[in-house]
Amino acid sequence: FTHRRGPTGATTSGGSIELNGCEGAVKVDTSGGRIESIDGSGSLEARTSGGSIVVRNFGGDTKVETSGGRLTFENINGKITGRSSGGSITARLRSPVPGDVNLETSAGSIDVTVPPDAGLDVEAEASSGRVTSDLPFVGIRTDREQLKGKINGGGKSLVLRSGAGSISIKPASADVAAR
């Protein structure tokens, strides 16, 4: 779909779905393909049973889920909710962080890049992996698998959970954070 306005919905049994510049409430579902959304706004709900999901430059809340692929989020102006049963998650947050972020994977790593001055309330847990943060952190580190506290005084919620993989929180360089 390209440059659609208003509510948009699509379901496919085995193909990929591409959204480019769509505005409004978007709900897409595929049983076996990849989903990609670029330059849209409104709200996005996307689900696939066997592919990756990529969301870039979206103005609004996103809620995505895959049973067997990786999730990628870049420059989302809203809340981010992402779940993967079998893939890694990568998120690059914009400045200022506009909404709460909740990312979970059963089997994969989670890598989050945040603006260096972002205030976040962090809760990160890796059942069988490490949790690392390259930003100033105040709070509780129960062990190398769990981190709970505040970055830069706190703010929006950043909840990260990995069943079998590591979690890393890194600062974006100044040119990336401004995009």
Side-chain angles (χ1 to χ4, degrees):
F1 297 99
T2 302
H3 301 292
R4 300 254 329 178
R5 293 189 195 283
T8 301
T11 303
T12 177
S13 299
S16 295
I17 299 173
E18 292 184 26
L19 305 162
N20 192 336
C22 295
E23 297 178 15
V26 178
K27 187 172 183 178
V28 292
D29 196 335
T30 180
S31 297
R34 176 177 72 83
I35 298 172
E36 184 172 18
S37 174
I38 309 294
D39 298 331
S41 65
S43 65
L44 173 65
E45 193 172 327
R47 192 169 295 128
T48 180
S49 298
S52 62
I53 301 176
V54 176
V55 184
R56 285 192 178 96
N57 303 325
F58 192 82
D61 295 346
T62 60
K63 183 177 181 182
V64 303
E65 190 175 327
T66 179
S67 298
R70 105 181 252 110
L71 301 178
T72 303
F73 300 95
E74 269 184 39
N75 196 29
I76 309 302
N77 192 11
K79 292 180 186 174
I80 301 173
T81 304
R83 294 192 187 357
S84 176
S85 298
S88 297
I89 302 174
T90 303
R92 185 175 299 273
L93 306 183
R94 65 181 289 144
S95 179
V97 176
D100 294 338
V101 178
N102 188 321
L103 304 173
E104 290 184 35
T105 181
S106 300
S109 61
I110 300 175
D111 296 306
V112 180
T113 304
V114 303
D117 60 348
L120 296 166
D121 289 336
V122 178
E123 189 177 322
E125 183 177 358
S127 298
S128 62
R130 294 186 67 167
V131 177
T132 59
S133 174
D134 294 345
L135 286 137
F137 176 81
V138 175
I140 301 166
R141 178 187 265 301
T142 54
D143 49 33
R144 50 178 248 185
E145 299 164 351
Q146 191 172 26
L147 202 66
K148 187 172 184 174
K150 297 179 183 303
I151 291 176
N152 293 323
K156 300 293 181 185
S157 172
L158 177 63
V159 177
L160 310 171
R161 300 200 192 293
S162 176
S166 295
I167 296 173
S168 74
I169 304 167
K170 296 181 180 175
S173 59
D175 64 325
V176 172
R179 282 190 212 161

